[in-house]
Amino acid sequence: IYTDGGARGNPGPAGVGAVAYDEQGKVVFEVSEYIGETTNNQAEYKAVVRALEEAKKYGGKELSFCLDSELIVKQLNGEYKVKNKGLQPLFVNIHNLGLNFSKVEYRHVRRENNKEADRLVNEGIDKKNSKS
């Protein structure tokens, strides 16, 4: 599952994107949503939350996440503490959602290897902007 979140302005209009593939490389689901005004890091966390919610609907058991935010990956893997008060509830939510699966891992990937999730983030923000 490749996830990304972003805000234009930090904080600013934000979106989340996620794309999940099965073992054969077939797309299982995509998420592209506008999430309101928030920070980049909050959007990154919310993208993982949405992907976990979707994976549960599709009956996933073992999940491997790829994120281009090294900070978020290190926090989710317990290497860094989550000191930001706005991120702590999201971290707990991710932990709790992760209990629905037999295995959840988080890996850092370079931004150029996360283009599809990034595209979905921008689509989500653009959809909102085209409605206003």
Side-chain angles (χ1 to χ4, degrees):
I1 301 174
Y2 288 80
T3 65
D4 199 11
R8 295 180 184 159
N10 199 32
V16 296
V19 58
Y21 302 95
D22 64 15
E23 295 85 3
Q24 291 74 42
K26 182 177 158 251
V27 173
V28 178
F29 66 79
E30 288 185 348
V31 174
S32 176
E33 295 174 358
Y34 175 74
I35 58 168
E37 300 268 327
T38 191
T39 67
N40 282 321
N41 286 341
Q42 287 172 327
E44 291 275 4
Y45 267 93
K46 289 178 181 185
V48 175
V49 168
R50 285 294 294 118
L52 284 164
E53 291 169 347
E54 287 299 308
K56 185 177 176 189
K57 289 181 196 174
Y58 284 89
K61 297 289 180 235
E62 294 188 4
L63 308 179
S64 178
F65 278 84
C66 298
L67 294 81
D68 61 26
S69 170
E70 191 171 2
L71 171 70
I72 305 303
V73 169
K74 288 185 180 283
Q75 288 176 333
L76 291 174
N77 285 329
E79 295 174 55
Y80 290 175
K81 289 183 178 177
V82 182
K83 296 178 183 174
N84 181 290
K85 300 278 186 240
L87 299 180
Q88 289 171 348
L90 295 167
F91 177 86
V92 170
N93 192 14
I94 289 170
H95 171 77
N96 290 338
L97 286 167
L99 298 174
N100 292 299
F101 307 94
S102 58
K103 179 181 179 185
V104 181
E105 64 181 13
Y106 302 97
R107 294 184 302 124
H108 176 255
V109 295
R110 297 176 59 91
R111 188 161 304 227
E112 58 266 22
N113 296 327
N114 203 24
K115 286 183 180 173
E116 191 61 18
D118 180 64
R119 180 186 66 78
L120 293 166
V121 167
N122 286 301
E123 261 183 29
I125 297 171
D126 292 343
K127 278 188 275 189
K128 163 59 175 151
N129 288 339
S130 67
K131 290 178 187 172
S132 21

